[in-house]
């Protein structure tokens, strides 16, 4: 059994890769049934939690079943703390009705999915693995004493704790956790992300062939740092005017970012192109000259690995995850987070630098799912 927040791409890829090692895999996808409440209360953040937008069943193996699991709560910390028991009861009731109990539970994100996994282990003795992906380990346990206690309890209930980066593991080490901890990064699909002809991809996407294209991919939320990227572009265009920055993603900051682009007079240099299907992202990456990740915080940042797999240099901030992936001067450049001037300087340098696309693509070979899957499969085998 897999427990996940939405059917995130890195979870979907992992499930599809490992499904062949099991007779059957049930994936419980937690979602917020907020279509109507978001319309009535005008809460943009909730609109992304609609059931129909969460489940990508493309190429789903026949032995994998997806169970959309609604969990309603108001978007505030107090409410979020109280959802664990309700979520567990929902999953437990479904299991009891089916009579099919899993041989192993893998929960992605500690809360509330990890709580459900811990309870299933306690009640039924099912081996339990939890992956700490991001805010659930660098943010939640350090908000207050209550969060710290419950996150520690979940991690200590696990047979194995997986984190996706060394920076995440350092967060675990700041807690009172005795369960074994392994660093297993997210992977990329090497059959989708590989070098393609830049001009061909640009023509397919109807993009100009005579511009230096910068690409950023990520939800339009504060932590992704797009506001600093837009500020940086106002500096970049002082140096050269043949640039075009494309930001792929959707989110609550769309209108604010659009206003910022307009106020800085960057309409010809920065475009918000909206969210795109993950299967289309390789085209956008191959159409670019440089990939930019301006995040304030990243646990790992799979998009930069995917860009490098396409042979593209990465300009990233020192955000916790990128320092483990980007090798300055070889696969990209690093700069301080929340520093538009430093980001602009790095972007200009990256545009002008001679990069070896093949060497960049080769560098991320160990992050392919073919390699990462072996480590996860071994973990499962050791517990069953």
């Amino acid at each position: 059994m897999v427990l996940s927040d939405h059917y995130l791409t890195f979870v979907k890829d992992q499930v599809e890769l490992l499904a062949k090692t099991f007779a059957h895999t049930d994936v419980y996808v937690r979602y917020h049934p907020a279509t109507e409440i978001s319309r009535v209360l005008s809460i943009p953040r909730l609109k992304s939690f609609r059931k129909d937008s969460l489940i990508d069943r493309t190429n789903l193996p026949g032995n994998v079943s997806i169970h959309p699991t609604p969990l309603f709560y108001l978007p505030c910390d107090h409410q979020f703390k109280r959802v664990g028991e309700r979520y567990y009861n929902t999953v437990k009731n479904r299991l009891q009705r089916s009579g099919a109990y899993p041989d192993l539970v893998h929960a992605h994100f500690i809360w509330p999915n990890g709580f459900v996994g811990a309870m299933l282990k306690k009640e039924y003795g099912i081996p339990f693995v939890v992956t700490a992906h991001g805010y659930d380990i660098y943010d939640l346990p350090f908000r207050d004493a209550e969060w710290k206690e419950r996150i520690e309890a979940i991690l200590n209930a696990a047979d194995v704790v997986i984190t996706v980066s060394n920076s995440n593991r350092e967060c675990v080490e700041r807690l009172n956790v005795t369960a074994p901890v392994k660093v297993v990064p997210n992977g990329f699909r090497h059959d989708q992300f590989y070098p393609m002809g830049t001009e061909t991809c640009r023509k397919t996407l109807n993009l100009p062939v005579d511009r230096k294209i910068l690409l950023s991919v990520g939800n339009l939320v504060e932590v992704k740092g797009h506001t600093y990227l837009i500020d940086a572009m106002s500096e970049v265009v002082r140096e050269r005017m043949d640039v075009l920055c494309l930001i792929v993603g959707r989110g609550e900051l769309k209108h604010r970012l659009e206003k910022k682009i307009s106020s800085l007079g960057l309409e010809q240099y920065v475009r918000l192109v909206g969210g795109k299907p993950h299967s289309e992202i390789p085209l956008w990456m191959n159409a670019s000259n440089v990939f930019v990740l301006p995040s304030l915080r990243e646990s790992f940042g799979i998009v930069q690995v995917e860009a490098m797999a396409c042979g593209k240099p990465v300009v990233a901030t020192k955000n916790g995850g990128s320092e483990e992936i980007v090798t300055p001067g070889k696969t990209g450049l690093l700069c301080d987070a929340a520093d538009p001037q430093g980001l602009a300087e790095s972007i200009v340098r990256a545009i002008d630098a001679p990069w070896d696309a093949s060497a960049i693509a080769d560098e991320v070979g160990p992050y392919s799912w073919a390699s990462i899957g072996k480590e996860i499969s071994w973990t499962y085998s050791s517990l069953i």
Side-chain angles (χ1 to χ4, degrees), residues 291-309:
F291 186 83
V292 184
L293 189 70
S295 298
L296 305 181
R297 177 75 192 215
E298 286 285 348
S299 289
F300 182 69
I302 189 62
V303 286
Q304 62 194 334
V305 174
E306 292 170 340
M308 289 164 63

Side-chain angles (χ1 to χ4, degrees), residues 67-121:
H67 306 275
T69 310
L71 186 65
F72 178 82
Y73 58 92
L74 294 177
C76 62
D77 194 66
H78 175 73
Q79 285 279 312
F80 193 40
K81 280 182 178 179
R82 308 301 168 212
V83 300
E85 288 285 352
R86 285 194 289 119
Y87 189 31
Y88 171 64
N89 289 332
T90 299
V91 173
K92 177 182 175 181
N93 289 338
R94 292 193 179 194
L95 285 176
Q96 290 177 336
R97 287 198 302 269
S98 69
Y101 291 90
D103 295 299
L104 180 140
V105 176
H106 188 168
H108 290 271
F109 294 95
I110 304 169
W111 185 264
N113 305 314
F115 176 81
V116 176
M119 292 296 291
L120 288 172
K121 177 183 177 180

Side-chain angles (χ1 to χ4, degrees), residues 198 202 205-216 242-246 269 271 284-292 312 347 351:
T198 299
R202 290 189 181 189
L205 297 171
N206 196 29
L207 296 174
V209 297
D210 59 346
R211 305 276 290 272
K212 296 293 185 181
I213 292 182
L214 312 170
L215 178 70
S216 187
D242 62 341
V243 294
L244 175 62
C245 179
L246 304 174
Y269 303 100
R271 295 183 194 167
W284 292 89
M285 289 182 168
N286 276 287
S288 70
N289 296 93
V290 176
F291 186 83
V292 184
K312 304 302 177 179
I347 288 172
I351 292 173

Side-chain angles (χ1 to χ4, degrees), residues 217-237:
V217 178
N219 294 328
L220 306 184
V221 293
E222 290 284 357
V223 74
K224 293 301 181 181
H226 293 118
T227 183
Y228 299 101
L229 173 57
I230 295 170
D231 283 333
M233 286 304 299
S234 66
E235 297 295 325
V236 172
V237 298

Side-chain angles (χ1 to χ4, degrees), residues 159-303:
D159 293 283
V160 176
V161 174
I162 294 175
T163 72
V164 296
S165 65
N166 287 312
S167 62
N168 269 9
R169 181 169 59 183
E170 290 172 2
C171 292
V172 177
E173 291 172 350
R174 291 166 58 190
L175 302 172
N176 183 22
V177 175
T178 57
V181 181
K182 301 177 67 172
V183 175
V184 182
N186 291 322
F188 74 93
R189 292 280 299 267
H190 68 275
D191 59 332
Q192 293 182 354
F193 293 90
Y194 54 86
M196 296 182 243
T198 299
E199 186 171 333
T200 300
C201 292
R202 290 189 181 189
K203 289 180 178 179
T204 300
L205 297 171
N206 196 29
L207 296 174
V209 297
D210 59 346
R211 305 276 290 272
K212 296 293 185 181
I213 292 182
L214 312 170
L215 178 70
S216 187
V217 178
N219 294 328
L220 306 184
V221 293
E222 290 284 357
V223 74
K224 293 301 181 181
H226 293 118
T227 183
Y228 299 101
L229 173 57
I230 295 170
D231 283 333
M233 286 304 299
S234 66
E235 297 295 325
V236 172
V237 298
R238 297 174 192 266
E239 297 288 328
R240 53 190 310 156
M241 301 180 68
D242 62 341
V243 294
L244 175 62
C245 179
L246 304 174
I247 300 175
V248 175
R250 59 172 63 90
E252 59 196 42
L253 295 187
K254 177 184 176 183
H255 298 303
R256 191 195 306 177
L257 296 178
E258 287 175 337
K259 289 180 180 179
K260 189 174 189 65
I261 292 169
S262 178
S263 68
L264 293 174
L266 294 173
E267 295 94 331
Q268 300 302 313
Y269 303 100
V270 182
R271 295 183 194 167
L272 303 182
V273 299
K276 302 296 177 183
H278 191 251
S279 59
E280 191 179 299
I281 299 300
L283 288 175
W284 292 89
M285 289 182 168
N286 276 287
S288 70
N289 296 93
V290 176
F291 186 83
V292 184
L293 189 70
S295 298
L296 305 181
R297 177 75 192 215
E298 286 285 348
S299 289
F300 182 69
I302 189 62
V303 286

